[in-house]
Amino acid sequence: MKNKIHSLIVEGILFCGSGLGLLSYSMVSYGRAFNKSWAQSPYLFPLIVGAAMTGLSLWIVGEGIQAMRKRAGEETAPGSLPQTAKTRAARIQAADGQDTEAGTENAQSAKNGGTVSQILGVAIALVLCGIYYLALTGIKIPYVTIGIFSFMYTFSTFEVVTVPFLASMMAFMGVRKARVLVLVPLGTTLFLSIAFRTLLHVLLP
């Protein structure tokens, strides 16, 4: 049986390309910028995100390779029947009395449909990330600072754009509870904003 590329490997390669692209954008933009201090550079945040995406994508590719090796080992194990599509279809035929060729075609089409849906899901996620990036670079919102006792909190384009982006990604991933779709994006954005702006003194878009 000809081994097929596992869907996790395809997803990992797509995310790796996005991460490397974000890393390249951050490094090139930092090199062209007047400010040469990473602590005060707005390109530190996309640099961290790009590095995280690249690392996670490599982990996903590794999971796909392990899954392919495991499947190949099961198919070539001594004393065991090859786990091919025809073998599975034959078992279905013995249990249900269905035609072998029809069972094979149904199993193959279901497998192909699952792979296509996974790749389509990755493509939609990348499109949402692209829209988020365009919103960060295209929407200009003045900095607003709110004082709470001695604590000063500043928000701008990053906070306004990140909240709906996270909510959209969570809804796309299957989250349906309204409370979660509101509180998690707000809490995550507030945490990132305070961590970078207030504690690390890093510029955000």
Side-chain angles (χ1 to χ4, degrees):
M1 178 182 178
K2 184 178 179 180
N3 291 331
K4 293 185 177 180
I5 299 177
H6 199 277
S7 59
L8 287 177
I9 298 178
V10 178
E11 295 174 8
I13 292 174
L14 291 176
F15 277 113
C16 185
S18 301
L20 292 176
L22 194 57
L23 283 174
S24 301
Y25 162 77
S26 302
M27 296 298 294
V28 172
S29 300
Y30 171 77
R32 295 177 178 176
F34 176 78
N35 188 356
K36 296 302 181 181
S37 174
W38 276 113
Q40 299 179 352
S41 174
Y43 303 109
L44 177 61
F45 179 72
L47 181 72
I48 296 174
V49 174
M53 288 183 62
T54 304
L56 290 175
S57 64
L58 295 177
W59 177 78
I60 293 174
V61 171
E63 290 291 319
I65 294 175
Q66 290 183 0
M68 289 185 62
R69 290 178 178 176
K70 182 178 180 181
R71 183 174 59 188
E74 291 176 352
E75 293 177 355
T76 58
S80 62
L81 293 176
Q83 298 297 316
T84 62
K86 290 185 178 181
T87 303
R88 290 193 295 270
R91 293 178 179 177
I92 295 175
Q93 179 188 9
D96 302 330
Q98 297 178 351
D99 181 73
T100 303
E101 294 181 359
T104 304
E105 293 177 357
N106 291 336
Q108 189 65 31
S109 61
K111 182 178 180 180
N112 293 336
T115 303
V116 171
S117 63
Q118 290 177 347
I119 296 176
L120 181 61
V122 174
I124 294 175
L126 293 178
V127 169
L128 290 176
C129 292
I131 295 174
Y132 174 60
Y133 168 74
L134 293 176
L136 284 177
T137 57
I139 299 176
K140 302 299 181 183
I141 299 177
Y143 287 91
V144 178
T145 301
I146 300 176
I148 304 175
F149 297 104
S150 61
F151 178 78
M152 305 299 292
Y153 174 69
T154 301
F155 67 92
S156 184
T157 305
F158 173 77
E159 289 77 12
V160 175
V161 173
T162 301
V163 172
F165 166 71
L166 292 178
S168 301
M169 286 293 288
M170 292 175 63
F172 171 69
M173 298 298 292
V175 178
R176 294 295 179 265
K177 293 184 178 180
R179 181 179 300 179
V180 177
L181 288 174
V182 173
L183 295 181
V184 172
L186 283 175
T188 303
T189 304
L190 183 63
F191 169 76
L192 292 175
S193 178
I194 294 176
F196 280 92
R197 291 190 196 275
T198 307
L199 301 180
L200 300 177
H201 302 287
V202 174
L203 295 177
L204 293 174

